[in-house]
Amino acid sequence: MSGMETQIAPATVGPSNIDYFSDCYTQFSTAGDGYIGNSVSGTAAGQGAPTVDITHPGLISVTTGTTAAGRSSLNSLVTSSVLFGGGPYAWEGIVSIPTLSTVADRFICLFGFVNSVSAAPTAGLFFSYSDNVNGGNWLVTAINSSGSVTTDTGIPVVAGTFYKLNVSVNAAGTIATFSINGVVVARITTNIPVATADACGYTHTIRKTAGLNSRSFVVDYLWLRHQPTASR
């Protein structure tokens, strides 16, 4: 079954605006919902329904499965569909990580814009988490073919806590603003992907690096908005 899509209309929706929202009321199929697909690798990796949360209606659990390198993601159907500098972009999602990464069962989560869900991205603007990097704090990264910059937000990831993550990029593609629960935690002005070779897509990804126990994150909703500078 496909997820429930709701178009949240600005002044106009169509050639001059892209505005997509999914409240994740139903489970995405392998083929996705026309806007979002999924990518999985490993035994029992995939998506499913977690315990219902009255304050977060419509949840999907994204799980690694029981393979040491298992991975799973909800992502854009094409991971090279986004290029910054042609109008403002915004991505937002509410996520929770029920069980934190440990040395025995280590994983990394990426949320935002990336050009790869199967390996470390070489282009993107994203939040990341793993227990062995900066004490398990939320990190934000801008990366392109010229280099990368990562900022420690100083905010530790707490198991089972929901976080509203937002990445917003200005029209010129020169400033990336990262927010957690509506509070700006970083602004980055370098290594923003604006070259064709650095095109990326959007994702919610979890990837194991050690251990055979399945690990997961839960996503409440995902939202994308883009207003192209040039008409089409």
Side-chain angles (χ1 to χ4, degrees), residues 112-191:
F113 297 98
V114 301
N115 69 341
S116 176
V117 296
S118 60
T122 57
L125 299 167
F126 53 87
F127 289 87
S128 65
Y129 158 76
S130 190
D131 70 292
N132 63 332
V133 184
N134 290 71
N137 290 342
W138 283 115
L139 306 181
V140 298
T141 295
I143 183 171
N144 62 18
S145 53
S146 298
S148 66
V149 57
T150 295
T151 298
D152 184 346
T153 69
I155 298 173
V157 177
V158 177
T161 298
F162 281 92
Y163 296 90
K164 181 188 291 184
L165 308 179
N166 181 287
V167 182
S168 296
V169 186
N170 68 335
T174 55
I175 304 172
T177 302
F178 298 80
S179 301
I180 297 179
N181 296 333
V183 178
V184 174
V185 294
R187 285 191 175 93
I188 296 179
T189 58
T190 58
N191 303 116

Side-chain angles (χ1 to χ4, degrees), residues 31-228:
D33 69 350
Y35 292 88
I36 295 175
N38 59 20
S39 177
V40 300
S41 178
T43 303
Q47 293 86 37
T51 302
V52 175
D53 186 317
I54 194 170
T55 61
H56 295 277
L59 294 174
I60 292 179
S61 179
V62 182
T63 61
T64 63
T66 55
T67 305
R71 60 176 174 81
S72 184
S73 65
L74 297 177
N75 49 268
S76 51
L77 295 178
V78 179
T79 55
S80 58
S81 56
V82 173
L83 196 60
F84 302 107
Y89 262 100
W91 167 93
E92 185 173 283
I94 290 183
V95 300
S96 174
I97 301 173
T99 302
L100 298 183
S101 173
T102 65
V103 64
D105 282 291
R106 182 156 286 154
F107 60 87
I108 184 169
C109 288
L110 303 177
F111 304 108
F113 297 98
V114 301
N115 69 341
S116 176
V117 296
S118 60
T122 57
L125 299 167
F126 53 87
F127 289 87
S128 65
Y129 158 76
S130 190
D131 70 292
N132 63 332
V133 184
N134 290 71
N137 290 342
W138 283 115
L139 306 181
V140 298
T141 295
I143 183 171
N144 62 18
S145 53
S146 298
S148 66
V149 57
T150 295
T151 298
D152 184 346
T153 69
I155 298 173
V157 177
V158 177
T161 298
F162 281 92
Y163 296 90
K164 181 188 291 184
L165 308 179
N166 181 287
V167 182
S168 296
V169 186
N170 68 335
T174 55
I175 304 172
T177 302
F178 298 80
S179 301
I180 297 179
N181 296 333
V183 178
V184 174
V185 294
R187 285 191 175 93
I188 296 179
T189 58
T190 58
N191 303 116
I192 297 172
V194 295
T196 302
D198 295 324
C200 49
Y202 47 93
T203 194
H204 298 62
T205 294
I206 184 169
R207 188 174 68 249
K208 284 293 291 288
T209 57
L212 300 179
N213 291 305
S214 184
R215 291 294 181 259
S216 66
F217 67 84
V218 175
V219 56
D220 182 358
Y221 73 70
L222 46 96
W223 172 69
L224 178 76
R225 174 173 286 179
H226 173 50
Q227 185 172 0

